[in-house]
Amino acid sequence: MSQTTPPTYRQLLAAGEPFRLLFPLGVLFGLTGVLLWPAYVWGGMDTYPVLIHTRIMIECFLAAFVIGFLGTALPRLLDVPKVHGREAMFYAAGLTLSFALHLISKHTLGDLLFLLTFGSFVASLAVRARARKDVPPPAFVLVLIGLLCALAGTVSFLLAAVWRGGPEYQLYQAGRLLLYQGFLLFPIMGVGAFLLPRFFDLPNQQNFPESLTPPPGWWRSASFALGCGLLGLLSFALEYFQYLSIAYLLRASALLLYFWREVPVHKAKFRNGSLAMSLRVALFSIPLGYIAMALVPARQITLLHIVFITGFSLLTLTVATRVIFGHGGRSELFPRTLWSIRALVALIVLAMATRVSADWMPDVRLTHYAYAALAWAAAVIIWAIRVLPGVRQPDD
């Protein structure tokens, strides 16, 4: 009896699973983005890397994971044509070129390439949505807000770069809020409401009968998501006008309120393995960071790294792990204790603590930036060795 030949990596990518290309690419972007700090501190580069680091981490590292995840998940949810391999390679090429431009401090061109690449991705989703056979989960209202924040924030950066002598500072500040935070915060809320109940054995309030028109209860859930999203946007406006403590408390409240209703983690079973543990750390870190910023607004940039490091980046890698396991035929690993995930969490927490504490130690601040970067890089390298090879494995 002949056995079916397993699909090749190229065939898997062509079958409509862009995460298989974009997740490994995102890892390379992320490692480069953080290792700029040791390179600067110990003599490898002359340019202070804060702007290069920030752009690469948002527009390249995190964007690669966002496109890889949504490009794989949304076509399945909407029952529309998948993102084929050529599209995935186009997005990968666009992000790589943007990465290269940011790396040589050509930030305006890098922003422009990111806008074209990410805008093309959003446009492709919009075209596919017209042929949908099902409505998306109502929480994906928040995903849409996040995608629009990414585009609007990048446009603000571009306008700030060319509108010299005008409202340059104001445009830059608006872009920083929308792209650096809104781009990630709102999709985390939207995707989280749909995906997180699976981690914690909770009923999924985003499951509705398949329908071309919103079924009963869909509008109520979507309206609640939109209301929490508008609260988040209001918090950005308050921060823009320097009402810092109120802004951060409102942002944390919008996040906690939404998850309290849609993903009541306080009711969850907590014996769900390393992935669930990692997810709890990440979910706890995001509102914790905003509350800390509300209490000490003078240290907002420092404390924002709680949100970025143990919040956004850890959550991104945890969800990516589930995607890789699920699409690689290893779903039996979901509830298990995995040393690689425990090491990932421990090292990322160490990286966050080192980075945040550094700004209270001016004499060793830069070296602590470098140590934090090395801890984060070690975490991601372990994850890449133990988890990332799964992008080549089919789901048998």
Side-chain angles (χ1 to χ4, degrees):
M1 181 182 295
S2 63
Q3 294 182 344
T4 302
T5 303
T8 65
Y9 175 71
R10 185 184 294 271
Q11 289 171 330
L12 289 170
L13 184 61
E17 296 183 336
F19 80 90
R20 297 182 184 277
L21 174 61
L22 289 161
F23 284 6
L25 192 62
V27 167
L28 293 177
F29 293 153
L31 288 173
T32 305
V34 299
L35 291 177
L36 293 170
W37 289 105
Y40 175 75
V41 172
W42 291 310
M45 63 182 295
D46 296 326
T47 304
Y48 190 68
V50 63
L51 193 55
I52 305 174
H53 163 78
T54 306
R55 287 293 213 282
I56 287 176
M57 297 307 287
I58 300 295
E59 294 186 2
C60 303
F61 165 63
L62 290 169
F65 280 89
V66 169
I67 295 175
F69 175 80
L70 292 180
T72 302
L74 274 179
R76 294 170 180 266
L77 287 172
L78 300 178
D79 196 11
V80 297
K82 297 177 181 179
V83 176
H84 53 72
R86 289 183 180 178
E87 283 182 275
M89 287 188 281
F90 170 78
Y91 302 137
L95 293 180
T96 301
L97 186 52
S98 176
F99 163 78
L101 289 166
H102 286 308
L103 200 58
I104 59 174
S105 298
K106 301 293 184 181
H107 298 301
T108 300
L109 289 175
D111 290 340
L112 181 59
L113 257 295
F114 171 73
L115 180 64
L116 294 174
T117 303
F118 199 76
S120 298
F121 173 68
V122 174
S124 76
L125 294 181
V127 170
R128 284 176 165 83
R130 297 174 62 184
R132 63 181 174 79
K133 299 176 183 177
D134 193 11
V135 292
F140 276 50
V141 169
L142 289 162
V143 176
L144 177 60
I145 293 175
L147 299 181
L148 295 177
C149 280
L151 298 177
T154 310
V155 169
S156 292
F157 280 151
L158 290 170
L159 290 175
V162 300
W163 201 341
R164 299 293 184 180
E168 177 184 346
Y169 175 79
Q170 292 85 345
L171 286 167
Y172 181 82
Q173 291 301 105
R176 185 178 60 83
L177 289 167
L178 293 171
L179 179 61
Y180 292 178
Q181 294 187 59
F183 173 35
L184 282 308
L185 179 64
F186 295 119
I188 281 171
M189 293 168 67
V191 172
F194 174 76
L195 188 62
L196 299 186
R198 303 183 185 189
F199 281 83
F200 298 117
D201 293 332
L202 292 169
N204 196 324
Q205 301 184 63
Q206 297 295 312
N207 284 338
F208 287 87
E210 185 173 335
S211 172
L212 275 175
T213 58
W218 191 94
W219 281 113
R220 182 174 63 252
S221 183
S223 298
F224 181 69
L226 177 61
C228 290
L230 292 175
L231 286 178
L233 290 174
L234 176 60
S235 76
F236 290 153
L238 290 170
E239 181 175 355
Y240 178 85
F241 289 108
Q242 295 298 301
Y243 296 99
L244 300 181
S245 293
I246 297 174
Y248 302 139
L249 285 176
L250 181 61
R251 200 168 307 159
S253 299
L255 179 67
L256 291 170
L257 175 65
Y258 189 69
F259 280 143
W260 185 269
R261 172 174 163 172
E262 298 295 331
V263 192
V265 177
H266 56 288
K267 298 180 181 179
K269 300 174 183 178
F270 290 112
R271 298 183 300 276
N272 298 94
S274 300
L275 283 176
M277 179 272 293
S278 178
L279 202 61
R280 287 195 295 272
V281 173
L283 290 175
F284 177 75
S285 296
I286 298 173
L288 174 65
Y290 286 131
I291 291 170
M293 291 162 66
L295 295 175
V296 193
R299 295 283 187 174
Q300 56 169 308
I301 295 176
T302 300
L303 297 170
L304 188 58
H305 284 82
I306 301 173
V307 177
F308 283 147
I309 299 174
T310 45
F312 292 165
S313 71
L314 180 58
L315 188 62
T316 296
L317 294 171
T318 305
V319 172
T321 303
R322 185 179 177 94
V323 171
I324 292 169
F325 286 170
H327 288 263
R330 295 191 291 168
S331 56
E332 76 279 0
L333 297 178
F334 291 164
R336 291 188 184 176
T337 299
L338 305 171
W339 74 264
S340 56
I341 301 302
R342 289 179 176 269
L344 171 74
V345 174
L347 285 168
I348 284 187
V349 170
L350 175 63
M352 181 275 292
T354 305
R355 171 58 185 85
V356 171
S357 64
D359 287 346
W360 273 273
M361 297 181 288
D363 293 340
V364 292
R365 179 172 59 88
L366 288 178
T367 55
H368 272 60
Y369 286 1
Y371 295 146
L374 291 175
W376 191 92
V380 173
I381 289 170
I382 290 172
W383 182 85
I385 292 171
R386 298 295 299 177
V387 176
L388 201 56
V391 299
R392 304 184 66 88
Q393 300 296 320
D395 184 359
D396 298 326

